[in-house]
Amino acid sequence: ISPVGVAFDDSLRLYVTDSSGKLFAFGADASPLRVLESAGSQKFQRPTGLAYSPKSGLLYVVDTLAHAVHALRPDGSSAFSFGARGEGPGQFNFPTHIFRSGAGELFVTDALNFRVAVFDEEGKFRGSFGHHGDGSGDMALPKGVAVDRAGVVYVVDSMFDNLQLFTREGGFLLTVGDRGTGFGEFWLPSGLFLNEAQELYVCDTYNHRIQVFRIRDGGADGPA
């Protein structure tokens, strides 16, 4: 009804969240495998962001209305969950997107706490950065998040119509884009994904397109 997030595992099984309350799993040949409506005893309220860890073999599912992240095994059973509603460390206020970095950390956009929260693969809180505001490095409606192999964190902000870059510790680096319809401009961007080739995909929602950027190793002086 309302597909939101997608992720593949090591066996090329495809997982799709439906924000109406379901998680769909498909085989590598696109055959339906299962439909989940809960993580263990916890019924999905609004599943959104997805991330898979090849190290742990777990699929991480953000449930926005439950203010939690669920970790599922390949058979669909629940491994553990973390998070609760609040403003404290490890708590969420309507989380949306999630990304697993190459270093094995989980970055979650905690949208209405106006920050990015960081966890290890066991759900242990490792820190957070970001605050509400309208200046460079501030956040208004953070959504998609990704981390490159140099540890730079990319955060889409739908309210600002831009992409902001931070250090792993949250130091502000750069803003990319503004409201518009040209290349490098955005209109209510949302999802974000970075592949192993260091190509960054931005879901430019109201422009009805995907924009693709290449991350240069070593910054502007690195190879194309």
Side-chain angles (χ1 to χ4, degrees):
I1 296 174
S2 179
V4 177
V6 296
F8 286 95
D9 66 15
D10 286 337
S11 300
L12 291 182
R13 287 182 288 253
L14 171 66
Y15 301 91
V16 182
T17 48
D18 187 321
S19 66
S20 67
K22 297 179 181 179
L23 172 66
F24 293 83
F26 301 89
D29 60 354
S31 59
L33 296 178
R34 66 180 65 90
V35 179
L36 299 177
E37 297 188 36
S38 64
S41 61
Q42 302 181 66
K43 187 174 178 60
F44 290 137
Q45 296 183 46
R46 183 175 292 170
T48 50
L50 284 176
Y52 173 76
S53 168
K55 178 181 178 181
S56 66
L58 296 175
L59 179 72
Y60 299 90
V61 185
V62 176
D63 192 325
T64 299
L65 289 185
H67 311 282
V69 176
H70 305 294
L72 304 180
R73 301 184 183 92
D75 63 1
S77 61
S78 176
F80 58 87
S81 300
F82 58 92
R85 189 169 193 183
E87 300 178 356
Q91 296 181 321
F92 299 117
N93 190 17
F94 296 95
T96 56
H97 295 68
I98 185 170
F99 187 88
R100 179 194 179 272
S101 72
E105 292 183 311
L106 303 173
F107 290 73
V108 183
T109 45
D110 188 8
L112 294 189
N113 278 328
F114 312 105
R115 65 190 181 189
V116 173
V118 187
F119 301 82
D120 66 18
E121 294 194 355
E122 287 72 47
K124 181 180 178 181
F125 179 69
R126 301 289 293 272
S128 65
F129 63 86
H131 58 270
H132 190 233
D134 58 6
S136 297
D138 295 337
M139 297 184 185
L141 191 58
K143 288 199 172 183
V145 60
V147 185
D148 70 17
R149 55 188 171 216
V152 175
V153 184
Y154 301 79
V155 183
V156 164
D157 197 299
S158 292
M159 189 71 70
F160 291 152
D161 298 301
N162 67 14
L163 176 67
Q164 298 195 90
L165 281 62
F166 300 88
T167 66
R168 160 61 181 81
E169 293 73 29
F172 174 69
L173 297 174
L174 179 70
T175 295
V176 176
D178 203 342
R179 167 69 69 88
T181 59
F183 180 70
E185 297 178 326
F186 307 104
W187 190 8
L188 281 176
S190 53
L192 192 66
F193 182 75
L194 182 67
N195 67 15
E196 293 181 357
Q198 297 294 277
E199 293 168 332
L200 187 70
Y201 294 77
V202 182
C203 182
D204 190 7
T205 311
Y206 272 33
N207 280 325
H208 310 289
R209 65 187 181 187
I210 304 293
Q211 293 200 57
V212 186
F213 302 84
R214 183 179 298 278
I215 308 303
R216 291 175 178 264
D217 288 331
D221 295 327

